[in-house]
Amino acid sequence: RLALVVALAGCGRFGFDARAGSDAPLDGAHDAASDGAIGSAQCGGIDLLADTFTANVPSPQWYSYKNGGITTVQMGGQLVITLPATTIASAAYGGFGSVFRYDVRGQRIAVEVPQTASTATTAQTDIQLVSVKGDILSIIEESGQLTASQYINGTGTNLTMIPYNVGADRWWAFREDAGTLAFETSPDGVTFTLFSSIPTPAFASLVSFALETGTFETVMNGGAGHFDNVNGGTPSGKFCPASTLRDDFNSGVIDDRWAGQFTSGTCTYGESNGHVTIALDTAGGEECALRSATGFDLTNDAVFTEVVSAPGLAQTYTVLRASQQNGDNVELSIAGTTLDCAQIINSSYSTSCSIPYDAVAHRFLRLRGSAGMIAWETSPDGMTWTTRAQVASPIALDAVFLTIAAGTNGAPAMASQAVFGTFDVLPP
């Protein structure tokens, strides 16, 4: 968990006090203080994440977490994470994490921190970039010190430590440019000062972002961390086209692009020899899924998958799905011996087509967005497509998770498996 990593980073701090000049460009070629001179990622960049916390409820771009009596609320236009009056001598952390993962390369993610937890205690307030595998880059305030730290492959390292100044360090930021990732602070969110940097890690292309307050030991009256104006409160950029997520499943390992993968129940899945195989048993109520690590734009685009084989049994299903953060989705489903053009909205399942499943004619399944419409399509070869249904899309398609999955609604008569051959790639 993020909290445990932060706790490790907080123990036995070391470092040095070092600051570069105001907004010093990392490579001498760009100055990104206020004019956005750093080139943004073409799509899927962290400039998509922004919030002013003025609503009474969290934006759907966040999930919240907490333990040990911590509270997380949005009030007064800020995210406020409050420690209980007394914490016990164990990790207690709370915060917001981004639902999507983003590309931070060539971009800055900045956050206003009007107040940290009590600087007279070991309570911590921090922001984090987190890789799929749990590597973390952090800016942490604790005991009146501001620390740039990293937790890579299970080892925590404090890179730089400086005295924390609530005025000069009101804004915290990560900035990537030309192979260098910088840790920065600013008094006004306009002019930033570099206080640490590292070579850009490979995982910078796919990170989640977190805002957090907590402690790893007993703290009396630890106070609260306040956050505001993530990326100035105004999002920009766009998610990458859905068709850019492509996989021939030849690596033998399910890669980070499918970091949203999950197992519910007793099914199992794996990748080998150009296939993803999902094994289902007779227990019922299970689903195994490869879900994209982040959102994609299906608005005027399409995605397809090859279904080498489907169980074809009552109570089983094999699907290609596009879903929103809240679970609402559209999917092309092989449900037993039927092909369904389906949608699930507010947990209610309905279909726009339902025809006998033909393993040859329906070998390829495709979802296609166009001018506000969603089409469910099939093909025998991945080249010639037949539209099975087309309606006004019941969900927004500009930021959807993409999923291939198989599961059971009830207890099927026997164990079975679903085999996928490719995703958005024609087989050889």
Side-chain angles (χ1 to χ4, degrees), residues 282-318:
T282 58
E286 58 184 339
E287 179 172 306
C288 281
L290 265 62
R291 192 181 77 161
S292 61
T294 191
F296 288 87
D297 189 350
L298 189 58
T299 304
N300 290 293
D301 202 7
V303 289
F304 69 85
T305 189
E306 179 191 16
V307 180
V308 176
S309 64
L313 298 172
Q315 304 296 338
T316 68
Y317 59 87
T318 304

Side-chain angles (χ1 to χ4, degrees), residues 19-154:
R19 291 189 181 231
S22 176
D23 225 6
L26 301 182
D27 62 355
H30 301 292
D31 179 0
S34 60
D35 59 5
I38 292 180
S40 296
Q42 291 186 354
C43 61
I46 205 163
D47 54 354
L48 283 159
L49 180 65
D51 205 341
T52 57
F53 304 110
T54 54
N56 293 325
V57 295
S59 161
Q61 63 192 328
W62 302 106
Y63 68 89
S64 63
Y65 61 95
K66 59 184 178 180
N67 65 353
I70 286 176
T71 62
T72 60
V73 298
Q74 292 184 194
M75 61 182 186
Q78 296 181 1
L79 169 62
V80 181
I81 306 171
T82 305
L83 291 165
T86 305
T87 63
I88 60 175
S90 62
Y93 287 84
F96 275 17
S98 65
V99 169
F100 293 118
R101 292 179 171 86
Y102 304 95
D103 190 344
V104 76
R105 294 173 301 175
Q107 299 201 344
R108 170 184 282 140
I109 173 75
V111 181
E112 186 179 8
V113 187
Q115 176 182 316
T116 66
S118 174
T119 58
T121 71
T122 55
Q124 300 171 334
T125 302
D126 61 85
I127 65 172
Q128 303 174 347
L129 295 177
V130 187
S131 79
V132 169
K133 293 181 172 59
D135 296 325
I136 299 181
L137 305 177
S138 303
I139 297 176
I140 307 171
E141 187 283 315
E142 181 199 339
S143 301
Q145 298 290 315
L146 200 64
T147 301
S149 72
Q150 63 180 15
Y151 182 83
I152 308 294
N153 296 325

Side-chain angles (χ1 to χ4, degrees), residues 247-252 271-277 306 308 419-423 427-428:
D247 201 335
D248 59 11
F249 304 127
N250 277 320
S251 70
E271 176 181 325
S272 64
N273 300 320
H275 296 91
V276 166
T277 300
E306 179 191 16
V308 176
V419 181
F420 295 91
T422 62
F423 191 89

Side-chain angles (χ1 to χ4, degrees), residues 63-362:
Y63 68 89
S64 63
Y65 61 95
K66 59 184 178 180
N67 65 353
I70 286 176
T71 62
T72 60
V73 298
Q74 292 184 194
M75 61 182 186
Q78 296 181 1
L79 169 62
V80 181
I81 306 171
T82 305
L83 291 165
T86 305
T87 63
I88 60 175
S90 62
Y93 287 84
F96 275 17
S98 65
V99 169
F100 293 118
R101 292 179 171 86
Y102 304 95
D103 190 344
V104 76
R105 294 173 301 175
Q107 299 201 344
R108 170 184 282 140
I109 173 75
V111 181
E112 186 179 8
V113 187
Q115 176 182 316
T116 66
S118 174
T119 58
T121 71
T122 55
Q124 300 171 334
T125 302
D126 61 85
I127 65 172
Q128 303 174 347
L129 295 177
V130 187
S131 79
V132 169
K133 293 181 172 59
D135 296 325
I136 299 181
L137 305 177
S138 303
I139 297 176
I140 307 171
E141 187 283 315
E142 181 199 339
S143 301
Q145 298 290 315
L146 200 64
T147 301
S149 72
Q150 63 180 15
Y151 182 83
I152 308 294
N153 296 325
T155 300
T157 306
N158 292 317
L159 305 166
T160 305
M161 181 186 296
I162 60 175
Y164 170 62
N165 182 302
V166 67
D169 304 322
R170 187 178 178 91
W171 290 74
W172 303 354
F174 298 104
R175 177 170 68 111
E176 199 286 331
D177 185 25
T180 299
L181 196 143
F183 302 70
E184 301 176 321
T185 66
S186 170
D188 54 13
V190 176
T191 302
F192 284 83
T193 298
L194 172 73
F195 81 97
S196 192
S197 65
I198 59 172
T200 301
F203 61 73
S205 63
L206 196 62
V207 295
S208 58
F209 181 72
L211 309 166
E212 187 178 74
T213 297
T215 179
F216 60 94
E217 60 185 32
T218 300
V219 169
M220 302 288 289
N221 300 316
H226 291 229
F227 300 92
D228 198 1
N229 290 315
V230 176
N231 268 342
T234 303
S236 58
K238 58 185 178 181
F239 284 94
C240 293
S243 59
T244 61
L245 178 60
R246 299 177 179 178
D247 201 335
D248 59 11
F249 304 127
N250 277 320
S251 70
V253 178
I254 295 171
D255 65 43
D256 289 352
R257 293 173 297 168
W258 300 105
Q261 62 190 276
F262 64 87
T263 299
S264 174
T266 54
C267 57
T268 60
Y269 62 94
E271 176 181 325
S272 64
N273 300 320
H275 296 91
V276 166
T277 300
I278 299 176
L280 307 173
D281 65 22
T282 58
E286 58 184 339
E287 179 172 306
C288 281
L290 265 62
R291 192 181 77 161
S292 61
T294 191
F296 288 87
D297 189 350
L298 189 58
T299 304
N300 290 293
D301 202 7
V303 289
F304 69 85
T305 189
E306 179 191 16
V307 180
V308 176
S309 64
L313 298 172
Q315 304 296 338
T316 68
Y317 59 87
T318 304
V319 301
L320 169 65
R321 178 184 299 147
S323 60
Q324 293 184 314
Q325 303 97 307
N326 65 359
D328 289 350
N329 67 63
V330 292
E331 61 182 39
L332 192 50
S333 172
I334 303 165
T337 59
T338 301
L339 181 76
D340 288 344
C341 306
Q343 60 186 47
I344 300 176
I345 306 298
N346 295 324
S347 300
S348 178
Y349 182 89
S350 61
T351 61
S352 296
C353 82
S354 188
I355 61 177
Y357 170 61
D358 184 323
V360 175
H362 306 155

